[in-house]
Amino acid sequence: MTVGETLKQARTERGLTLDDLQNNTKIQKRYLIAIEENNFKSLPGDFYVRAFIRQYAQTVGAPVEDIMGMLDEQLGQEKPVVAEESTEEEPKSRSVLREKISAQTPPSILDKVMSHLPAIIIVAVVVLILGAIYVTTLNSRKAQDTTTDSDVAVSREVESSSTKTSSKKQSSQKDTNSESETANSEAKKSSTKKAKANSKQTITATSSSGTSFNYELKSSAKENVIKLSAADGTSWLAVSANGSTTWQGTLADGKEQEVTLPEGTTAIRINVGNSQATKLEINGKKFDFLKENSSATVRTINLTVVE
């Protein structure tokens, strides 16, 4: 069975109609029909194919991972098979090497070495222990001599440094006060500049075609921050900067995601799978994208950044 047939069978077994499924998932009925007919080209894009099918399977109680695996096979996306290297030759090569070594070494010499091996190991261990004790004792004596000399030198320096400490404390307090005042004034200036930049930000609708809407973003920050959130439903979203996908995923009801775009981004694209359940903020300001055709559930938002 295909992905569409499997999902349709699961829906009918649960006694759900396409209208019921549309109300539960917020996916338009024509997209649900296309999924059941395996007509994935009728969906807005590859991102929505996987997002919609995953939501369909969760709603009708079908095994999600099995359905996604069937989808990959149906679309021809096979998982790479990692070939395991055979290690059968390794034991053979080791045994051959042992036979060669045994053949080259006379049995009598090898037996003598093996018989004295435990004694040799014990002697080596004892020598290492004695050496470690000697080195530790020598270092301890050197440390005691160094400590005695340093204590005498420190006692002489304490008297001269104590007179300097009070004057240094007074000067350091003055420096600290002046530095804190400077930092506070710089922080106030920085926050004032950010507030002015955000107040000047404007988003203007320029054109639209079907479910694609174009805007112009003026006086934006150097690094634009897109905040995505879902309310009263699940939202499927994807954010791209200059043609490269920065983040994509599904947000459950009450969840949010913040995406910081690279500096110098001039083109921003936001794909929205459930407009009524999605809220957007750009650089801390609410973006009311539903003003343009609020009935469009699936939409693509294109923002051109203008200095």
Side-chain angles (χ1 to χ4, degrees):
M1 294 179 66
T2 63
V3 172
E5 292 172 346
T6 304
L7 292 174
K8 183 177 181 181
Q9 180 178 346
R11 175 179 63 80
T12 54
E13 288 177 356
R14 279 183 168 258
L16 296 174
T17 65
L18 289 173
D19 292 328
D20 295 334
L21 197 59
Q22 178 179 247
N23 293 331
N24 293 336
T25 62
K26 305 303 180 184
I27 301 173
Q28 294 183 18
K29 185 176 180 179
R30 59 193 180 99
Y31 293 142
L32 298 174
I33 295 173
I35 290 173
E36 292 186 351
E37 294 178 351
N38 294 291
N39 186 15
F40 302 142
K41 293 182 179 179
S42 297
L43 274 65
D46 294 339
F47 168 76
Y48 295 105
V49 171
R50 300 185 66 83
F52 287 176
I53 289 177
R54 180 179 292 274
Q55 184 67 12
Y56 191 127
Q58 291 174 347
T59 303
V60 300
V64 178
E65 297 304 325
D66 294 344
I67 294 296
M68 301 309 294
M70 292 175 60
L71 177 63
D72 291 337
E73 293 180 0
Q74 191 168 323
L75 296 178
Q77 300 176 356
E78 298 181 356
K79 296 183 179 178
V81 178
V82 180
E84 296 183 356
E85 295 183 358
S86 175
T87 57
E88 294 179 357
E89 297 297 329
E90 185 177 355
K92 294 181 179 180
S93 61
R94 288 181 180 177
S95 61
V96 172
L97 182 60
R98 291 195 189 98
E99 292 176 359
K100 289 183 178 181
I101 293 174
S102 300
Q104 293 175 359
T105 305
S108 58
I109 297 174
L110 182 61
D111 293 340
K112 289 180 180 180
V113 173
M114 294 301 295
S115 64
H116 291 87
L117 184 60
I120 295 172
I121 293 174
I122 293 172
V123 172
V125 171
V126 171
V127 171
L128 290 174
I129 293 173
L130 293 175
I133 294 172
Y134 174 76
V135 172
T136 303
T137 304
L138 184 62
N139 290 336
S140 177
R141 290 179 179 177
K142 289 183 179 180
Q144 291 178 356
D145 295 339
T146 303
T147 303
T148 303
D149 295 338
S150 62
D151 289 342
V152 174
V154 167
S155 64
R156 292 176 181 175
E157 293 177 356
V158 165
E159 295 179 357
S160 59
S161 62
S162 61
T163 57
K164 298 178 182 179
T165 303
S166 60
S167 60
K168 287 184 178 179
K169 285 183 178 180
Q170 295 176 355
S171 61
S172 63
Q173 287 177 355
K174 292 180 180 179
D175 295 338
T176 302
N177 292 334
S178 61
E179 288 177 358
S180 62
E181 291 176 358
T182 303
N184 290 334
S185 62
E186 289 179 354
K188 290 180 180 179
K189 291 179 181 178
S190 176
S191 61
T192 303
K193 289 181 179 179
K194 289 181 179 179
K196 289 181 178 178
N198 288 336
S199 63
K200 293 181 181 179
Q201 175 176 292
T202 59
I203 301 176
T204 306
T206 57
S207 63
S208 64
S209 176
T211 60
S212 180
F213 301 87
N214 302 318
Y215 299 86
E216 192 175 73
L217 175 62
K218 292 183 179 180
S219 299
S220 60
K222 289 185 178 180
E223 291 185 349
N224 293 293
V225 179
I226 310 296
K227 184 178 180 181
L228 315 163
S229 59
D232 300 327
T234 301
S235 180
W236 310 276
L237 298 157
V239 179
S240 301
N242 292 338
S244 299
T245 300
T246 305
W247 178 88
Q248 67 176 7
T250 302
L251 293 180
D253 187 6
K255 299 297 182 179
E256 61 182 30
Q257 176 72 31
E258 191 172 276
V259 181
T260 301
L261 302 181
E263 183 177 346
T265 299
T266 57
I268 305 170
R269 185 177 72 250
I270 305 173
N271 295 102
V272 182
N274 189 358
S275 298
Q276 284 71 26
T278 303
K279 295 184 183 299
L280 297 179
E281 288 185 11
I282 299 179
N283 301 322
K285 294 188 68 175
K286 182 180 179 182
F287 176 25
D288 187 8
F289 60 90
L290 291 177
K291 291 191 299 184
E292 286 74 37
N293 190 2
S294 60
S295 62
T297 302
V298 176
R299 67 180 64 210
T300 300
I301 300 171
N302 299 305
L303 293 147
T304 301
V305 181
V306 180
E307 296 292 339

